[in-house]
Amino acid sequence: MDKIDLILKTSKAGTMSTSVNHTVSEYMNFYIRDYALFTETEKDSPILRGIKEHPLVYITLGGNADAADRLEVIGEIEVVTDQDIIDWLAQQKGPLTVATNMVMLKVMALKVKLVEE
């Protein structure tokens, strides 16, 4: 668990993929709260269209200078409508603001695999 916590604390950027008719993958920044991963995407992004048909995603975090090990996460994704979570995510992003053309996403892990390098 210590290695998993280290990766979650130090690795904000990773890839998120989904597959319906073809694989859609985006490089995203993730923010962690209560072991859920939060991110944002544009309202008309291919990844959002993909999760409407198939709400399971595959995320890879880590494998960088801060954490040589990486996490492979399979999770279920949902659009966030809770204003408290949206406000928290906006704070986490720093000086950037949450744009009106963006959608906040929450990923609840179903399976987590630690890949040690």
Side-chain angles (χ1 to χ4, degrees), residues 68-117:
D69 301 332
R70 70 180 187 278
L71 289 180
E72 295 177 352
V73 179
I74 295 175
E76 191 167 35
I77 196 162
E78 65 183 51
V79 174
V80 175
T81 57
D82 181 330
Q83 190 61 47
D84 289 337
I85 297 292
I86 293 170
D87 293 343
W88 168 81
L89 186 57
Q91 283 181 326
Q92 296 302 304
K93 292 178 58 155
L96 300 174
T97 59
V98 179
T100 57
N101 67 330
M102 302 301 277
V103 174
M104 305 306 124
L105 304 172
K106 176 182 179 181
V107 179
M108 292 301 299
L110 300 174
K111 181 179 179 182
V112 176
K113 178 181 176 184
L114 176 64
V115 179
E116 297 179 282
E117 296 297 320

Side-chain angles (χ1 to χ4, degrees), residues 6-84:
L6 175 65
I7 294 169
L8 290 174
K9 289 177 184 173
T10 59
S11 300
K12 299 291 184 213
T15 58
M16 182 167 70
S17 304
T18 187
S19 178
V20 181
N21 295 328
H22 63 281
T23 300
V24 177
S25 183
E26 288 187 21
Y27 192 72
M28 308 180 98
N29 287 316
F30 295 93
Y31 303 89
I32 290 50
R33 182 174 173 174
D34 300 328
Y35 289 99
L37 294 110
F38 293 87
T39 191
E40 67 177 359
T41 191
E42 292 181 2
K43 288 181 180 177
D44 63 347
S45 71
I47 201 106
L48 189 60
R49 288 191 301 272
I51 65 172
K52 287 180 180 176
E53 292 182 46
H54 185 70
L56 294 179
V57 292
Y58 177 83
I59 297 171
T60 303
L61 288 172
N64 56 35
D66 294 325
D69 301 332
R70 70 180 187 278
L71 289 180
E72 295 177 352
V73 179
I74 295 175
E76 191 167 35
I77 196 162
E78 65 183 51
V79 174
V80 175
T81 57
D82 181 330
Q83 190 61 47
D84 289 337

